[in-house]
Amino acid sequence: TDTPQHLLDIAERLWQARPRPPLAASAIDAEALSLAGNFVGAAAAWARVARAAEDDTMADAAEQHAGEALRYAARQQAATRLFLEHDWEGALAGLEPLVRVCGPQATALYMMRCRCFKMLGKLSLASQVAGQWLTWAVGASGVSGTWARGSPRMLMAWAGASTALELGDVEKTKKYYQLVLRADPDQPEVSSAICSVTFF
């Protein structure tokens, strides 16, 4: 399908608004943006590479990458719409190919994917996604700092713990809580929750 015109317009405006960095930096930036699930930004970065390319082969390759990034952006938009409409199966089908392109840096995609699995009753998969993302998050941000209520890492920790508990895996539930408390011991709700599952 054709890429929606408004996504192309956004990519062009992003390209115009930013100063032109060196060619190699733009390519690295584009790859990092794709890994983070920012496909519109990746398309803009690839457009910069195409315009600064030293030969037609490089320009053609960059244009192909830009087009691919915009197609991913359109898929992401469609999956997000389905997610907001609570079409969990449809959203998950749209998210799966995107997650294969991205790394755990694509926090929003991982959170939506976890929620879809949970709402579809695929609790083991929901817990697995939460665990994968949290493993990355702890390694990426260290083990210190506040895990504020409503932050992505707290939401994923609660999602992982609750799905593990629903599956009857008390030990795994405790591991999720302990992960939070190791990083941020000042969590009364989590401390209370771990105490309650200790009695199981």
Side-chain angles (χ1 to χ4, degrees):
T1 59
D2 292 335
T3 302
Q5 184 60 44
H6 72 279
L7 288 175
L8 291 168
D9 293 341
I10 290 169
E12 179 62 23
R13 285 198 300 274
L14 285 170
W15 184 85
Q16 294 289 347
R18 294 181 64 182
R20 184 177 296 182
L23 187 61
S26 289
I28 292 169
D29 189 33
E31 290 169 2
L33 288 165
S34 286
L35 285 175
N38 183 350
F39 297 113
V40 172
W46 281 121
R48 287 193 295 275
V49 173
R51 293 189 186 198
E54 297 168 358
D55 56 58
D56 290 343
T57 302
M58 183 182 291
D60 290 345
E63 286 175 7
Q64 287 177 2
H65 284 305
E68 183 179 61
L70 286 173
R71 286 190 291 276
Y72 283 132
R75 291 177 189 172
Q76 183 178 24
Q77 184 180 52
T80 301
R81 179 180 52 79
L82 292 170
F83 179 86
L84 293 172
E85 293 172 355
H86 296 177
D87 180 351
W88 311 117
E89 286 279 6
L92 190 59
L95 289 169
E96 288 304 297
L98 299 177
V99 171
R100 286 196 290 271
V101 173
C102 300
Q105 304 95 303
T107 299
L109 298 183
Y110 270 69
M111 292 181 75
M112 287 194 291
R113 188 168 174 244
C114 180
R115 178 73 171 165
C116 287
F117 280 135
K118 186 174 173 78
M119 297 307 293
L120 290 169
K122 300 178 179 180
L123 302 180
S124 181
L125 289 171
S127 182
Q128 181 181 346
V129 171
Q132 288 171 346
W133 187 86
L134 284 165
T135 299
W136 167 79
V138 170
S141 58
V143 292
S144 62
T146 302
W147 286 41
R149 177 187 285 191
S151 66
R153 50 187 176 175
M154 275 302 292
L155 291 171
M156 288 294 255
W158 282 118
S162 66
T163 52
L165 192 58
E166 285 183 66
L167 289 165
D169 192 338
V170 175
E171 289 306 311
K172 194 167 189 178
T173 303
K174 289 180 187 177
K175 286 179 181 177
Y176 279 110
Y177 292 145
Q178 288 163 349
L179 177 70
V180 176
L181 293 175
R182 276 196 303 272
D184 185 7
D186 188 22
Q187 288 284 349
E189 288 180 83
V190 178
S191 297
S192 175
I194 199 170
C195 287
S196 67
V197 297
T198 300
F199 293 106
F200 276 64

Coordinates of all heavy atoms in Angstrom, one line a residue, residues 50-134:
A50 N 20.5 10.2 1.7 CA 20.2 10.2 0.3 C 20.7 11.5 -0.4 O 21.3 11.5 -1.4 CB 18.8 9.9 0.0
R51 N 20.3 12.6 0.3 CA 20.6 13.9 -0.3 C 22.1 14.2 -0.3 O 22.6 15.0 -1.1 CB 19.8 15.0 0.4 CG 18.4 14.9 0.1 CD 17.6 16.0 0.6 NE 16.2 15.8 0.5 CZ 15.2 16.7 0.5 NH1 15.5 18.0 0.6 NH2 14.0 16.4 0.3
A52 N 22.8 13.7 0.7 CA 24.2 13.9 0.9 C 25.1 12.9 0.3 O 26.3 12.9 0.3 CB 24.6 14.1 2.4
A53 N 24.5 11.9 -0.3 CA 25.2 10.7 -0.9 C 26.2 11.1 -1.9 O 26.0 12.1 -2.7 CB 24.3 9.7 -1.4
E54 N 27.3 10.4 -2.0 CA 28.4 10.8 -2.9 C 28.2 10.1 -4.3 O 28.9 10.5 -5.2 CB 29.7 10.3 -2.3 CG 30.1 11.1 -1.0 CD 31.2 10.5 -0.2 OE1 31.8 9.5 -0.7 OE2 31.6 11.1 0.8
D55 N 27.4 9.1 -4.3 CA 27.1 8.5 -5.6 C 25.7 8.0 -5.7 O 25.0 7.9 -4.7 CB 28.1 7.3 -5.9 CG 28.1 6.3 -4.8 OD1 27.0 5.7 -4.5 OD2 29.1 6.0 -4.2
D56 N 25.2 7.6 -6.9 CA 23.8 7.2 -7.1 C 23.5 5.9 -6.3 O 22.4 5.7 -5.8 CB 23.6 7.0 -8.6 CG 23.5 8.3 -9.3 OD1 23.4 9.3 -8.6 OD2 23.6 8.3 -10.6
T57 N 24.5 5.0 -6.2 CA 24.2 3.7 -5.5 C 23.9 3.9 -4.1 O 22.9 3.4 -3.5 CB 25.5 2.8 -5.7 OG1 25.8 2.6 -7.0 CG2 25.2 1.5 -5.0
M58 N 24.7 4.8 -3.4 CA 24.5 5.1 -2.0 C 23.1 5.8 -1.9 O 22.4 5.6 -1.0 CB 25.6 6.0 -1.5 CG 25.5 6.3 0.0 SD 26.8 7.3 0.6 CE 28.2 6.2 0.5
A59 N 22.8 6.8 -2.8 CA 21.6 7.5 -2.7 C 20.4 6.6 -2.9 O 19.4 6.7 -2.1 CB 21.6 8.6 -3.8
D60 N 20.5 5.7 -3.8 CA 19.4 4.7 -4.1 C 19.1 3.9 -2.8 O 18.0 3.6 -2.4 CB 19.7 3.8 -5.3 CG 19.6 4.6 -6.6 OD1 19.0 5.7 -6.6 OD2 20.1 4.1 -7.6
A61 N 20.2 3.4 -2.2 CA 20.1 2.5 -1.0 C 19.4 3.3 0.1 O 18.5 2.8 0.8 CB 21.4 2.0 -0.6
A62 N 19.9 4.5 0.3 CA 19.3 5.4 1.4 C 17.8 5.6 1.1 O 17.0 5.6 2.0 CB 20.1 6.7 1.5
E63 N 17.5 5.9 -0.2 CA 16.1 6.1 -0.5 C 15.2 4.9 -0.2 O 14.1 5.0 0.2 CB 15.9 6.6 -1.9 CG 16.4 8.0 -2.2 CD 16.4 8.4 -3.7 OE1 15.9 7.6 -4.5 OE2 16.9 9.5 -4.0
Q64 N 15.8 3.7 -0.5 CA 15.0 2.5 -0.2 C 14.8 2.3 1.3 O 13.7 1.9 1.7 CB 15.8 1.3 -0.8 CG 15.7 1.2 -2.3 CD 16.6 0.0 -2.8 OE1 17.2 -0.7 -2.1 NE2 16.6 -0.1 -4.1
H65 N 15.9 2.6 2.1 CA 15.7 2.6 3.5 C 14.7 3.6 4.0 O 13.9 3.3 4.9 CB 17.1 2.9 4.2 CG 18.0 1.8 4.2 ND1 17.8 0.5 4.6 CD2 19.3 1.7 3.7 CE1 18.8 -0.3 4.5 NE2 19.8 0.4 3.9
A66 N 14.7 4.8 3.5 CA 13.7 5.8 3.8 C 12.3 5.3 3.5 O 11.4 5.5 4.4 CB 14.0 7.1 3.1
G67 N 12.1 4.7 2.4 CA 10.8 4.2 2.0 C 10.3 3.1 2.9 O 9.1 3.0 3.3
E68 N 11.3 2.2 3.2 CA 10.9 1.1 4.2 C 10.5 1.6 5.5 O 9.6 1.2 6.1 CB 12.2 0.2 4.3 CG 11.9 -1.0 5.2 CD 13.2 -1.9 5.2 OE1 14.2 -1.4 5.7 OE2 13.1 -3.1 4.8
A69 N 11.3 2.6 6.0 CA 11.0 3.2 7.3 C 9.6 3.9 7.3 O 8.8 3.7 8.3 CB 12.0 4.3 7.7
L70 N 9.2 4.5 6.2 CA 7.9 5.1 6.1 C 6.8 4.0 6.1 O 5.7 4.2 6.6 CB 7.8 6.0 4.9 CG 8.5 7.4 5.1 CD1 8.5 8.1 3.8 CD2 7.9 8.2 6.2
R71 N 7.1 2.9 5.4 CA 6.1 1.8 5.4 C 5.9 1.3 6.8 O 4.8 1.0 7.3 CB 6.5 0.7 4.4 CG 6.3 1.1 3.0 CD 6.5 0.0 2.0 NE 7.9 -0.5 2.0 CZ 8.8 0.1 1.2 NH1 8.5 1.1 0.4 NH2 10.1 -0.4 1.2
Y72 N 7.0 1.2 7.6 CA 6.9 0.7 9.0 C 6.1 1.7 9.8 O 5.4 1.4 10.7 CB 8.3 0.5 9.6 CG 9.0 -0.8 9.2 CD1 10.3 -0.8 8.7 CD2 8.3 -2.0 9.2 CE1 11.0 -1.9 8.3 CE2 9.0 -3.2 8.8 CZ 10.3 -3.1 8.4 OH 10.9 -4.3 8.0
A73 N 6.3 3.0 9.5 CA 5.6 4.1 10.3 C 4.1 3.9 10.0 O 3.3 4.1 11.0 CB 6.1 5.4 9.8
A74 N 3.7 3.6 8.8 CA 2.3 3.5 8.5 C 1.8 2.2 9.2 O 0.6 2.3 9.7 CB 2.1 3.3 7.0
R75 N 2.5 1.2 9.2 CA 2.1 -0.1 10.0 C 2.0 0.2 11.5 O 1.0 -0.3 12.1 CB 3.1 -1.2 9.7 CG 3.1 -1.7 8.3 CD 4.1 -2.8 8.1 NE 4.3 -3.2 6.8 CZ 5.3 -4.0 6.3 NH1 6.1 -4.5 7.2 NH2 5.3 -4.3 5.0
Q76 N 2.9 1.0 12.0 CA 2.9 1.3 13.4 C 1.6 2.1 13.7 O 0.9 1.9 14.7 CB 4.1 2.1 13.8 CG 4.2 2.4 15.3 CD 5.5 3.2 15.6 OE1 6.1 3.8 14.8 NE2 5.9 3.1 16.9
Q77 N 1.3 3.1 12.8 CA 0.1 3.9 13.0 C -1.2 3.0 13.0 O -2.1 3.2 13.8 CB 0.0 5.0 12.0 CG -1.1 5.9 12.1 CD -1.1 7.0 11.0 OE1 -1.1 6.6 9.8 NE2 -1.2 8.2 11.4
A78 N -1.2 2.1 12.1 CA -2.4 1.2 12.0 C -2.5 0.3 13.2 O -3.6 0.1 13.7 CB -2.3 0.4 10.7
A79 N -1.4 -0.2 13.6 CA -1.4 -1.1 14.8 C -1.8 -0.3 16.1 O -2.6 -0.9 16.9 CB 0.0 -1.7 15.0
T80 N -1.3 0.9 16.2 CA -1.7 1.7 17.3 C -3.2 2.0 17.3 O -3.9 2.0 18.4 CB -0.9 3.0 17.3 OG1 0.5 2.7 17.4 CG2 -1.3 3.9 18.5
R81 N -3.7 2.3 16.2 CA -5.2 2.5 16.0 C -6.0 1.3 16.5 O -6.9 1.4 17.3 CB -5.6 2.9 14.6 CG -7.1 3.2 14.4 CD -7.4 3.5 12.9 NE -6.8 2.6 12.0 CZ -7.4 1.4 11.7 NH1 -8.4 1.0 12.3 NH2 -6.8 0.6 10.8
L82 N -5.6 0.1 16.0 CA -6.3 -1.1 16.4 C -6.1 -1.3 17.9 O -7.1 -1.8 18.6 CB -5.7 -2.3 15.6 CG -6.0 -2.3 14.1 CD1 -5.2 -3.4 13.4 CD2 -7.5 -2.5 13.9
F83 N -5.0 -1.0 18.5 CA -4.7 -1.2 19.9 C -5.7 -0.3 20.7 O -6.3 -0.7 21.7 CB -3.3 -0.8 20.2 CG -3.0 -0.9 21.7 CD1 -2.6 -2.2 22.3 CD2 -3.0 0.2 22.5 CE1 -2.3 -2.3 23.6 CE2 -2.7 0.1 23.9 CZ -2.3 -1.1 24.4
L84 N -5.8 1.0 20.3 CA -6.7 1.9 21.0 C -8.2 1.5 20.8 O -9.0 1.9 21.6 CB -6.5 3.3 20.4 CG -5.1 3.9 20.7 CD1 -4.9 5.2 20.0 CD2 -4.9 4.1 22.3
E85 N -8.5 0.8 19.7 CA -9.9 0.3 19.5 C -10.1 -1.1 20.2 O -11.1 -1.7 20.1 CB -10.1 0.1 18.0 CG -10.2 1.4 17.3 CD -10.2 1.3 15.8 OE1 -10.1 0.1 15.3 OE2 -10.4 2.3 15.1
H86 N -9.1 -1.5 21.0 CA -9.1 -2.8 21.7 C -9.3 -4.0 20.8 O -9.8 -5.1 21.2 CB -10.2 -2.8 22.8 CG -10.0 -1.8 23.8 ND1 -10.9 -1.6 24.8 CD2 -9.0 -0.9 24.1 CE1 -10.5 -0.6 25.6 NE2 -9.3 -0.2 25.2
D87 N -8.8 -3.9 19.6 CA -8.7 -5.0 18.6 C -7.3 -5.7 18.9 O -6.3 -5.4 18.2 CB -8.8 -4.6 17.2 CG -8.7 -5.7 16.2 OD1 -8.4 -6.9 16.6 OD2 -9.0 -5.5 15.0
W88 N -7.2 -6.5 19.9 CA -6.0 -7.0 20.4 C -5.3 -7.9 19.4 O -4.1 -7.9 19.2 CB -6.2 -7.8 21.7 CG -6.9 -7.0 22.7 CD1 -8.2 -7.4 23.3 CD2 -6.6 -5.7 23.3 NE1 -8.6 -6.4 24.2 CE2 -7.6 -5.4 24.2 CE3 -5.5 -4.9 23.2 CZ2 -7.6 -4.2 25.0 CZ3 -5.5 -3.7 23.9 CH2 -6.5 -3.4 24.8
E89 N -6.1 -8.8 18.7 CA -5.5 -9.7 17.7 C -5.0 -8.9 16.5 O -3.9 -9.1 16.1 CB -6.6 -10.6 17.1 CG -7.0 -11.7 18.1 CD -6.1 -12.9 18.0 OE1 -5.0 -12.8 17.3 OE2 -6.4 -13.9 18.7
G90 N -5.7 -7.9 16.0 CA -5.3 -7.1 14.9 C -4.1 -6.3 15.3 O -3.1 -6.2 14.5
A91 N -4.1 -5.7 16.5 CA -2.9 -4.9 16.9 C -1.7 -5.7 17.0 O -0.6 -5.3 16.6 CB -3.2 -4.2 18.2
L92 N -1.8 -6.9 17.6 CA -0.7 -7.8 17.8 C -0.1 -8.2 16.4 O 1.1 -8.3 16.2 CB -1.1 -9.0 18.6 CG 0.0 -10.0 19.0 CD1 1.0 -9.2 19.9 CD2 -0.6 -11.1 19.8
A93 N -1.0 -8.5 15.5 CA -0.5 -8.9 14.1 C 0.3 -7.8 13.5 O 1.2 -8.0 12.8 CB -1.7 -9.3 13.2
G94 N -0.1 -6.5 13.7 CA 0.6 -5.4 13.2 C 1.9 -5.1 14.0 O 2.9 -4.6 13.4
L95 N 1.9 -5.4 15.2 CA 3.1 -5.1 16.1 C 4.2 -6.1 15.8 O 5.4 -5.8 15.9 CB 2.7 -5.2 17.5 CG 1.9 -4.0 18.0 CD1 1.4 -4.3 19.5 CD2 2.7 -2.7 18.0
E96 N 3.9 -7.4 15.6 CA 4.9 -8.4 15.5 C 6.0 -8.1 14.5 O 7.2 -8.2 14.8 CB 4.3 -9.8 15.2 CG 3.5 -10.4 16.4 CD 4.4 -10.5 17.7 OE1 5.4 -11.3 17.6 OE2 4.1 -9.8 18.7
P97 N 5.7 -7.8 13.2 CA 6.8 -7.5 12.3 C 7.6 -6.2 12.7 O 8.8 -6.1 12.4 CB 6.1 -7.2 11.0 CG 4.7 -7.0 11.3 CD 4.4 -7.7 12.6
L98 N 7.0 -5.3 13.4 CA 7.7 -4.1 13.9 C 8.7 -4.4 15.0 O 9.8 -3.9 15.0 CB 6.7 -3.0 14.4 CG 5.7 -2.5 13.3 CD1 4.7 -1.6 14.0 CD2 6.4 -1.9 12.2
V99 N 8.3 -5.3 15.9 CA 9.1 -5.7 17.0 C 10.4 -6.4 16.5 O 11.4 -6.3 17.1 CB 8.4 -6.5 18.1 CG1 9.3 -7.1 19.1 CG2 7.3 -5.6 18.7
R100 N 10.2 -7.2 15.4 CA 11.3 -7.9 14.8 C 12.4 -6.9 14.3 O 13.6 -7.2 14.2 CB 10.9 -8.8 13.7 CG 10.2 -10.1 14.3 CD 10.1 -11.2 13.2 NE 9.1 -10.8 12.2 CZ 7.8 -11.1 12.2 NH1 7.3 -11.7 13.2 NH2 7.0 -10.8 11.2
V101 N 11.9 -5.7 13.9 CA 12.9 -4.7 13.4 C 13.5 -3.9 14.5 O 14.7 -3.5 14.4 CB 12.1 -3.7 12.5 CG1 13.0 -2.5 12.0 CG2 11.5 -4.4 11.2
C102 N 12.8 -3.7 15.6 CA 13.2 -2.9 16.7 C 13.9 -3.6 17.8 O 13.8 -4.9 17.9 CB 12.0 -2.1 17.3 SG 11.1 -1.1 16.2
G103 N 14.6 -2.9 18.6 CA 15.1 -3.5 19.9 C 14.2 -3.1 21.0 O 13.1 -2.4 20.8
P104 N 14.5 -3.5 22.2 CA 13.7 -3.1 23.4 C 13.6 -1.6 23.6 O 12.8 -1.2 24.4 CB 14.4 -3.8 24.5 CG 15.5 -4.7 24.0 CD 15.7 -4.3 22.6
Q105 N 14.5 -0.9 23.0 CA 14.4 0.6 23.1 C 13.0 1.1 22.6 O 12.6 2.2 23.0 CB 15.4 1.3 22.2 CG 16.9 0.9 22.5 CD 17.3 -0.2 21.5 OE1 16.7 -1.3 21.4 NE2 18.4 0.0 20.8
A106 N 12.3 0.3 21.8 CA 11.0 0.7 21.3 C 10.0 0.3 22.4 O 9.2 -0.6 22.3 CB 10.7 -0.1 20.0
T107 N 10.1 1.1 23.5 CA 9.3 0.8 24.7 C 7.8 0.8 24.4 O 7.1 -0.2 24.9 CB 9.6 1.9 25.7 OG1 11.0 1.9 26.0 CG2 8.8 1.7 27.0
A108 N 7.3 1.7 23.7 CA 5.8 1.7 23.4 C 5.4 0.5 22.7 O 4.3 -0.1 23.1 CB 5.4 3.0 22.6
L109 N 6.1 0.0 21.8 CA 5.8 -1.2 21.1 C 5.8 -2.4 22.0 O 4.9 -3.3 21.9 CB 6.7 -1.5 19.9 CG 6.8 -0.4 18.8 CD1 7.7 -0.9 17.7 CD2 5.4 -0.2 18.2
Y110 N 6.8 -2.5 22.9 CA 6.8 -3.6 23.8 C 5.7 -3.6 24.8 O 5.1 -4.6 25.2 CB 8.2 -3.6 24.5 CG 9.3 -4.5 23.8 CD1 9.8 -4.0 22.6 CD2 9.7 -5.7 24.4 CE1 10.8 -4.8 22.0 CE2 10.7 -6.4 23.7 CZ 11.2 -6.0 22.5 OH 12.1 -6.7 21.8
M111 N 5.3 -2.4 25.3 CA 4.2 -2.3 26.2 C 2.9 -2.6 25.6 O 2.1 -3.3 26.2 CB 4.2 -0.8 26.7 CG 5.4 -0.5 27.6 SD 5.3 1.2 28.3 CE 4.0 0.9 29.5
M112 N 2.7 -2.2 24.3 CA 1.5 -2.6 23.6 C 1.4 -4.1 23.4 O 0.3 -4.7 23.5 CB 1.3 -1.8 22.3 CG 1.0 -0.4 22.5 SD 0.5 0.4 20.9 CE 2.0 0.4 20.0
R113 N 2.5 -4.7 23.0 CA 2.6 -6.1 22.7 C 2.3 -6.9 24.0 O 1.5 -7.9 24.0 CB 4.0 -6.4 22.2 CG 4.2 -7.8 21.7 CD 5.5 -7.9 21.0 NE 5.8 -9.3 20.6 CZ 6.8 -10.0 21.0 NH1 7.7 -9.4 21.9 NH2 7.0 -11.2 20.6
C114 N 2.9 -6.5 25.1 CA 2.6 -7.1 26.4 C 1.1 -7.1 26.7 O 0.5 -8.1 27.1 CB 3.4 -6.5 27.5 SG 3.2 -7.2 29.1
R115 N 0.5 -5.9 26.6 CA -0.9 -5.7 26.9 C -1.8 -6.6 26.0 O -2.8 -7.2 26.4 CB -1.3 -4.2 26.7 CG -2.7 -3.9 26.9 CD -3.1 -4.0 28.3 NE -4.4 -3.4 28.6 CZ -5.1 -3.6 29.7 NH1 -4.6 -4.3 30.7 NH2 -6.3 -3.2 29.8
C116 N -1.4 -6.7 24.7 CA -2.2 -7.5 23.8 C -2.2 -9.0 24.2 O -3.2 -9.6 24.2 CB -1.7 -7.4 22.3 SG -2.0 -5.8 21.5
F117 N -1.0 -9.5 24.5 CA -0.9 -10.9 25.0 C -1.8 -11.1 26.2 O -2.5 -12.1 26.3 CB 0.5 -11.2 25.2 CG 1.3 -11.6 24.0 CD1 2.6 -11.1 23.8 CD2 0.8 -12.4 23.0 CE1 3.4 -11.4 22.7 CE2 1.6 -12.7 21.9 CZ 2.8 -12.2 21.7
K118 N -1.7 -10.1 27.1 CA -2.4 -10.3 28.4 C -3.9 -10.3 28.1 O -4.7 -11.1 28.6 CB -2.1 -9.1 29.3 CG -2.7 -9.3 30.7 CD -2.2 -8.2 31.7 CE -2.9 -8.3 33.0 NZ -2.5 -9.3 33.9
M119 N -4.4 -9.4 27.3 CA -5.8 -9.3 27.0 C -6.3 -10.5 26.2 O -7.5 -10.8 26.2 CB -6.2 -8.0 26.3 CG -5.9 -6.7 27.1 SD -6.6 -6.7 28.7 CE -8.4 -6.6 28.3
L120 N -5.5 -11.1 25.5 CA -5.8 -12.3 24.7 C -5.7 -13.6 25.5 O -5.9 -14.7 25.0 CB -4.9 -12.4 23.5 CG -5.2 -11.4 22.4 CD1 -4.1 -11.4 21.3 CD2 -6.6 -11.6 21.7
G121 N -5.3 -13.4 26.8 CA -5.2 -14.6 27.7 C -3.9 -15.4 27.5 O -3.7 -16.4 28.1
K122 N -2.9 -14.8 26.8 CA -1.6 -15.4 26.5 C -0.7 -14.9 27.6 O 0.3 -14.2 27.3 CB -1.2 -15.2 25.1 CG -2.1 -15.7 24.0 CD -1.6 -15.4 22.7 CE -2.6 -15.9 21.6 NZ -2.2 -15.6 20.2
L123 N -0.9 -15.4 28.8 CA -0.3 -14.8 30.0 C 1.2 -15.1 30.0 O 2.1 -14.3 30.4 CB -0.9 -15.3 31.3 CG -2.4 -14.9 31.4 CD1 -2.9 -15.4 32.7 CD2 -2.6 -13.4 31.3
S124 N 1.6 -16.3 29.6 CA 3.0 -16.7 29.6 C 3.8 -15.8 28.6 O 4.9 -15.3 29.0 CB 3.2 -18.1 29.2 OG 4.5 -18.5 29.2
L125 N 3.2 -15.5 27.5 CA 3.9 -14.6 26.5 C 3.9 -13.1 27.0 O 4.9 -12.5 26.8 CB 3.2 -14.6 25.2 CG 3.3 -16.0 24.4 CD1 2.4 -16.0 23.2 CD2 4.8 -16.2 24.0
A126 N 2.9 -12.7 27.7 CA 2.9 -11.4 28.3 C 4.0 -11.2 29.3 O 4.7 -10.2 29.3 CB 1.5 -11.1 28.9
S127 N 4.1 -12.2 30.2 CA 5.1 -12.2 31.2 C 6.5 -12.2 30.6 O 7.5 -11.5 31.0 CB 5.0 -13.4 32.1 OG 5.9 -13.4 33.1
Q128 N 6.7 -13.0 29.5 CA 8.0 -13.1 28.8 C 8.4 -11.8 28.2 O 9.5 -11.3 28.3 CB 7.9 -14.2 27.7 CG 9.1 -14.4 26.9 CD 9.0 -15.4 25.8 OE1 8.0 -16.2 25.8 NE2 9.9 -15.5 24.9
V129 N 7.4 -11.1 27.5 CA 7.7 -9.8 26.9 C 8.1 -8.8 28.0 O 9.1 -8.0 27.9 CB 6.5 -9.2 26.1 CG1 6.7 -7.8 25.7 CG2 6.2 -10.1 24.9
A130 N 7.4 -8.8 29.1 CA 7.7 -7.8 30.2 C 9.1 -8.1 30.7 O 9.9 -7.2 31.0 CB 6.7 -8.0 31.4
G131 N 9.5 -9.4 30.9 CA 10.8 -9.8 31.4 C 11.9 -9.4 30.4 O 12.9 -8.9 30.9
Q132 N 11.7 -9.6 29.1 CA 12.7 -9.2 28.1 C 12.9 -7.7 28.2 O 14.1 -7.2 28.2 CB 12.2 -9.6 26.7 CG 12.2 -11.0 26.4 CD 11.5 -11.3 25.1 OE1 10.8 -10.5 24.5 NE2 11.7 -12.6 24.6
W133 N 11.8 -6.9 28.3 CA 12.0 -5.5 28.3 C 12.7 -5.0 29.6 O 13.6 -4.2 29.5 CB 10.7 -4.8 28.1 CG 10.8 -3.3 27.9 CD1 11.1 -2.6 26.8 CD2 10.9 -2.3 29.0 NE1 11.3 -1.3 27.0 CE2 11.1 -1.1 28.4 CE3 10.7 -2.4 30.4 CZ2 11.2 0.1 29.1 CZ3 10.8 -1.2 31.1 CH2 11.0 0.0 30.5
L134 N 12.3 -5.6 30.7 CA 12.9 -5.2 32.0 C 14.3 -5.5 32.1 O 15.1 -4.7 32.6 CB 12.1 -5.8 33.1 CG 10.7 -5.1 33.4 CD1 9.9 -6.1 34.3 CD2 10.9 -3.8 34.1

